[in-house]
Amino acid sequence: ETGVTQSPTHLIKTRGQQVTLRCSSQSGHNTVSWYQQALGQGPQFIFQYYREEENGRGNFPPRFSGLQFPNYSSELNVNALELDDSALYLCASSPTRSGRMVGTDTQYFGPGTRLTVL
Amino acid sequence: AQTVTQSQPEMSVQEAETVTLSCTYDTSESNYYLFWYKQPPSRQMILVIRQEAYKQQNATENRFSVNFQKAAKSFSLKISDSQLGDTAMYFCAFSPPIGNQFYFGTGTSLTVIP
């Protein structure tokens, strides 16, 4: 069984640029969530995708957007990068039913992408 | 709004000893899920243990156990027979009963000393 994978591992961008991060969910998982983890902090929820549609969003501006593909993989896009966007971006997949986590579901995390904005 | 608080930024324990990490949370929900995740220097978040609020029995997973006090909204993690591989950042997380996001605390950095 393949776990959650993310690419790239590290990325350096300059302020104002755009970036795309990628995530492949664990086999059999239909829901992908994205989190931003600033240095020394816990992960903060960005949004979740279920069946190719956004299914919940945290307190992040519209320049954070995403996609989910038919194979359940996902992308996180960030436009007009700001210095404060420097963080570890985590993707997590879960085998949710009806787009909502219930019962014994949990989230399985990828290794993250370290984004540095200069 | 749900909040999760971990009041111990750093802790250390001697190898083979027992350590307890604290977590409190705030919610108006009556049913929910609580988790402890471990994040080693490799960065991958690994699920340590999971507790369902409607279950009174504390969850256990080998050397890891929790002390869940629902009325006090407290969810501590006990690690017995600590091993060097337990050195990591530990995050407490809350999930509402039918929700699509996890709320994380700020983490506790645990160091196991040989």
Side-chain angles (χ1 to χ4, degrees):
Chain A
E1 183 178 87
T2 305
V4 180
T5 61
Q6 292 185 243
S7 63
T9 305
H10 296 88
L11 204 53
I12 299 175
K13 292 285 187 178
T14 57
R15 194 170 51 183
Q17 285 189 310
Q18 178 266 343
V19 68
T20 297
L21 310 181
R22 295 178 175 82
C23 170
S24 292
S25 61
Q26 186 165 318
S27 177
H29 290 187
N30 57 15
T31 302
V32 172
S33 302
W34 285 92
Y35 292 81
Q36 180 194 67
Q37 186 179 14
L39 197 61
Q41 300 295 316
Q44 298 290 316
F45 176 73
I46 303 175
F47 46 55
Q48 182 184 84
Y49 276 82
Y50 170 70
R51 290 189 173 179
E52 303 176 51
E53 292 192 2
E54 190 177 289
N55 182 49
R57 189 179 183 92
N59 188 26
F60 281 81
R63 60 189 184 84
F64 285 79
S65 63
L67 284 172
Q68 187 180 31
F69 301 98
N71 65 355
Y72 304 135
S73 65
S74 177
E75 287 182 354
L76 164 65
N77 299 290
V78 187
N79 294 321
L81 283 167
E82 301 177 0
L83 298 180
D84 286 348
D85 296 334
S86 294
L88 180 67
Y89 287 85
L90 297 169
C91 167
S93 72
S94 52
T96 54
R97 287 161 278 277
S98 303
R100 293 176 179 269
M101 192 182 79
V102 298
T104 58
D105 293 342
T106 191
Q107 296 194 8
Y108 298 88
F109 286 82
T113 294
R114 172 74 65 190
L115 173 65
T116 302
V117 182
L118 302 176
Chain B
Q2 334 309 332
T3 58
V4 178
T5 302
Q6 293 179 250
S7 59
Q8 304 154 314
E10 296 181 0
M11 293 191 73
S12 61
V13 62
Q14 291 291 137
E15 195 175 4
E17 295 295 308
T18 296
V19 64
T20 299
L21 280 55
S22 301
C23 173
T24 59
Y25 56 93
D26 188 26
T27 182
S28 58
E29 305 280 357
S30 59
N31 192 24
Y32 43 86
Y33 302 91
L34 296 164
F35 306 81
W36 279 98
Y37 278 88
K38 167 185 176 181
Q39 188 177 41
S42 65
R43 305 182 326 204
Q44 185 120 26
M45 295 274 273
I46 302 166
L47 177 66
V48 174
I49 201 165
R50 180 181 187 280
Q51 175 79 41
E52 297 165 55
Y54 64 87
K55 290 186 176 179
Q56 293 186 352
Q57 186 174 7
N58 288 325
T60 61
E61 284 289 341
N62 301 314
R63 297 184 296 107
F64 300 89
S65 61
V66 299
N67 183 6
F68 173 49
Q69 301 289 328
K70 190 173 184 179
K73 296 181 181 176
S74 170
F75 183 61
S76 61
L77 174 69
K78 185 172 82 171
I79 306 174
S80 304
D81 186 25
S82 296
Q83 300 176 359
L84 297 179
D86 296 334
T87 293
M89 198 76 171
Y90 286 80
F91 290 97
C92 177
F94 167 98
S95 176
I98 303 179
N100 50 23
Q101 68 182 86
F102 279 23
Y103 298 87
F104 285 87
T106 52
T108 296
S109 178
L110 176 68
T111 301
V112 179
I113 302 167

